[in-house]
Amino acid sequence: MTVGRGVRRSSRRTLRGLTGGLVLFVGLEVLTRAELVSPTYLPPASAVVATTLAILVDPEFLQAVAGTLAGWGLGLIVASAIAIPLGLVLGWSWRGYRASTTAIELLRPIPSVALIPLAILLLGRGLDMRVALVAYASLWPILLNTIYGVRDVDPVARDTARAFGFGTLATLRRVSLPSAAPFMYTGVRVAAAVALIVAISAELVGGGSTPGIGTWMLERTQPGVDRELMYAGIVVAGLLGLGIDILMLAGERRLFGWHHRMRSVS
Amino acid sequence: MTSARIEVEHLGYRYAAGGAPALDDVSFSVGQGEFVSIVGPSGSGKTTLLRCVAGLAAPTSGEVRIDGVVVRDVPPGLALVFQDYGRSLFGWMTVHDNVDLPLRRRALSGEERQRRVASALAEVGLAGSAARYPWELSGGMQQRVAIARAVAYAPQILLMDEPFASVDAQTRSDLQDMALSVWRAHGSTVLFVTHDIDESVYLADRVVVLSPAPATVAAEIAVDLPRPRDQVETRAMPAFVTQRAAVARLIRRPGVGTP
């Protein structure tokens, strides 16, 4: 019953989404075909779609996508590897948390793109620089969510573990870690979106010869290059962001469905 | 009372140094295999008292001894059932895994653990719910999972902190009888905190009545009712009515009966 209703609701939502996309497509098409907007600025939507399909089988472009995803993924892994253990310690120890808040609040507001020149100076224009910047930007949402998650562990749950003879480490592993895990995942999900922005920004500003969507687009700003290519690049970057978000949300629902159901019951 | 299992001696507790004490001077003891209720007005420090017995809170003065040994940390062979079953059960684990978790700390074989979990769940009438998650169950069923978890652990001492305070009346009587049958079957020593006077008399061998905070023991009343107890028959006995009234009077006018 509820499942049927859920499916119907989600299919209705899909239908609405498709309608919206279609209206946008037709609107852009009419706008450009009627030359209400100069085709020099905005090529017809159909031409952009055709070019997008073409570059999706172009090995050079695919290499660029792989390059961006490498910077994105490695940066996220580095950030998680630092932020999760650090967050566990800071969330667990009140003194550690108090000692670190000043440092965190000083470093966190630095926009990661402002660090690009420094990163280029230290690490060059290759993958290392991109990974470092992505890691820096991704660190904060993961760290803060982990700290919050550990601090949010229910004292009754912790007392329960203690009463059954669990020591500090066992309580941390058996209770604090699993009950903070949904928060950590949320941190990683938020970081994943930020990471894509930073990865492409670093490519755009850094340039260099390492493949990436940003560098690929930068090369297509030369005079005489087809404008459709630029729009196709933007479309793919957008689809990448959308795809990452959908996958991360699906993973959250699958892994941590219990968390939301537990919260909504109590 | 031949051998005292739990001895609480001049126990005092204050939340902050210099702050108002929650427990002033509480002394009583619980014998091996005894079922003792602790009843008192709300805010009389009942939960704090239980936390001190469980080794989860350190008393400001006085001491708790279990089998003659002063409690400084959580003593082995002790299980605690909380009022907040929803917060005490782990939402990321199935009912089976919740009951199994404390057993992992003990040197038990896989089959033995399996056997204990299955029999504890059967004992509380949840044999068919092992694969479900706590949040899929009603409040009464969740509290049964918490009791099954304590039962499977086979504690020598079972501490219960207002375990039936947040379930409806019918479920409460079912759970009371279940607690009694579990106690009878396992011979553990039970310390049962409640603010429900009827419940304290119905369940226990002895009722320890606390005064309002800062708490002292207002009186100890031996419950002279035959076992097994019955929700209808026992509660209709004149002795039940008398003893219930005695406890109620003490709670309403504390200080009466204080030595």
Side-chain angles (χ1 to χ4, degrees):
Chain A
M1 203 27 196
T2 37
V3 172
R5 215 181 304 153
V7 167
R8 223 175 306 143
R9 195 181 306 145
S10 82
S11 67
R12 213 181 313 154
R13 214 167 43 198
T14 315
L15 192 71
R16 242 193 323 243
L18 285 176
T19 315
L22 199 68
V23 168
L24 185 68
F25 178 84
V26 172
L28 284 174
E29 191 70 17
V30 169
L31 214 61
T32 46
R33 292 287 175 201
E35 301 212 355
L36 291 169
V37 178
S38 157
T40 350
Y41 292 126
L42 189 65
S46 55
V48 172
V49 171
T51 312
T52 306
L53 293 174
I55 59 170
L56 280 178
V57 291
D58 173 12
E60 195 199 341
F61 182 73
L62 289 180
Q63 216 182 354
V65 172
T68 299
L69 285 178
W72 170 82
L74 290 172
L76 270 181
I77 289 172
V78 170
S80 307
I82 298 169
I84 290 178
L86 188 63
L88 283 174
V89 172
L90 296 184
W92 186 261
S93 129
W94 176 236
R95 218 177 296 164
Y97 175 72
R98 288 274 293 274
S100 59
T101 37
T102 315
I104 290 175
E105 291 314 317
L106 279 175
L107 289 173
R108 196 166 64 101
I110 303 175
S112 43
V113 285
L115 293 172
I116 296 177
L118 178 67
I120 293 173
L121 199 64
L122 295 176
L123 300 167
R125 294 170 187 275
L127 190 60
D128 290 356
M129 175 272 282
R130 296 173 190 172
V131 170
L133 283 168
V134 169
Y136 181 85
S138 308
L139 190 74
W140 308 111
I142 304 176
L143 179 66
L144 293 174
N145 274 285
T146 304
I147 292 175
Y148 180 73
V150 176
R151 296 195 63 76
D152 189 67
V153 173
D154 198 309
V156 175
R158 244 187 344 221
D159 273 356
T160 302
R162 275 188 64 200
F164 281 119
F166 285 67
T168 307
L169 269 182
T171 306
L172 188 64
R173 189 165 83 89
R174 294 285 186 187
V175 178
S176 300
L177 200 60
S179 93
F183 293 86
M184 296 174 196
Y185 188 92
T186 302
V188 175
R189 184 165 67 77
V190 171
V194 176
L196 187 66
I197 298 172
V198 174
I200 294 177
S201 308
E203 291 163 8
L204 282 170
V205 179
S209 54
T210 317
I213 296 176
T215 37
W216 183 90
M217 287 171 85
L218 213 53
E219 283 158 15
R220 273 145 196 86
T221 52
Q222 308 302 323
V225 175
D226 234 356
R227 232 158 271 266
E228 278 91 348
L229 281 171
M230 186 64 78
Y231 280 97
I234 295 171
V235 168
V236 174
L239 289 176
L240 220 50
L242 185 68
I244 286 169
D245 204 44
I246 288 174
L247 280 179
M248 295 296 286
L249 267 174
E252 185 167 43
R253 226 167 286 148
R254 198 181 151 73
L255 290 171
F256 301 116
W258 61 265
H259 180 69
H260 301 284
R261 264 163 287 185
M262 197 166 81
R263 298 263 149 156
S264 63
V265 168
S266 59
Chain B
M1 206 198 316
T2 45
S3 59
R5 192 96 226 220
I6 307 172
E7 292 164 284
V8 176
E9 220 171 77
H10 302 299
L11 192 72
Y13 187 89
R14 46 183 90 225
Y15 289 104
L23 301 173
D24 181 26
D25 182 353
V26 176
S27 300
F28 65 92
S29 64
V30 184
Q32 162 61 37
E34 216 184 353
F35 195 125
V36 170
S37 291
I38 295 183
V39 68
S42 39
S44 59
K46 301 186 291 286
T47 295
T48 306
L49 170 59
L50 211 61
R51 285 176 58 87
C52 288
V53 175
L56 291 172
T60 322
S61 59
E63 62 185 30
V64 176
R65 287 190 301 271
I66 288 182
D67 295 330
V69 179
V70 176
V71 172
R72 298 194 197 285
D73 199 355
V74 178
L78 174 143
L80 191 50
V81 175
F82 294 87
Q83 178 186 345
D84 286 317
Y85 42 79
R87 295 163 62 194
S88 170
L89 295 174
F90 304 126
W92 55 93
M93 290 180 173
T94 60
V95 165
H96 173 281
D97 291 351
N98 264 286
V99 176
D100 182 51
L101 182 66
L103 304 183
R104 289 163 170 268
R105 307 292 299 164
R106 301 199 152 175
L108 296 171
S109 69
E111 297 104 76
E112 172 63 10
R113 270 173 33 206
Q114 192 58 42
R115 197 194 57 72
R116 283 209 200 181
V117 172
S119 89
L121 284 175
E123 203 169 332
V124 301
L126 286 177
S129 303
R132 297 173 76 184
Y133 284 87
W135 36 265
E136 297 178 310
L137 308 174
S138 70
M141 286 166 91
Q142 288 186 31
Q143 192 56 295
R144 283 191 219 192
V145 176
I147 292 170
R149 182 167 63 183
V151 167
Y153 194 65
Q156 275 131 17
I157 295 174
L158 178 59
L159 307 177
M160 301 179 98
D161 185 12
E162 305 205 23
F164 311 141
S166 17
V167 295
D168 61 84
Q170 180 55 49
T171 309
R172 190 178 310 145
S173 357
D174 292 347
L175 289 174
Q176 284 165 352
D177 290 335
M178 205 190 67
L180 285 177
S181 75
V182 161
W183 168 66
R184 218 180 20 237
H186 297 273
S188 19
T189 304
V190 179
L191 193 55
F192 189 101
V193 162
T194 178
H195 63 259
D196 181 335
I197 297 164
D198 283 51
E199 183 173 75
S200 71
V201 174
Y202 177 71
L203 292 172
D205 296 319
R206 200 149 48 87
V207 179
V208 173
V209 184
L210 295 185
S211 71
T216 55
V217 174
E220 287 189 34
I221 292 179
V223 178
D224 186 22
L225 292 167
R227 292 194 188 267
R229 306 226 167 127
D230 181 275
Q231 290 288 356
V232 178
E233 299 306 323
T234 304
R235 285 173 193 269
M237 288 177 180
F240 178 84
V241 178
T242 324
Q243 277 159 0
R244 186 205 166 280
V247 175
R249 250 176 242 122
L250 283 161
I251 296 230
R252 217 167 37 182
R253 282 190 300 134
V256 179
T258 310

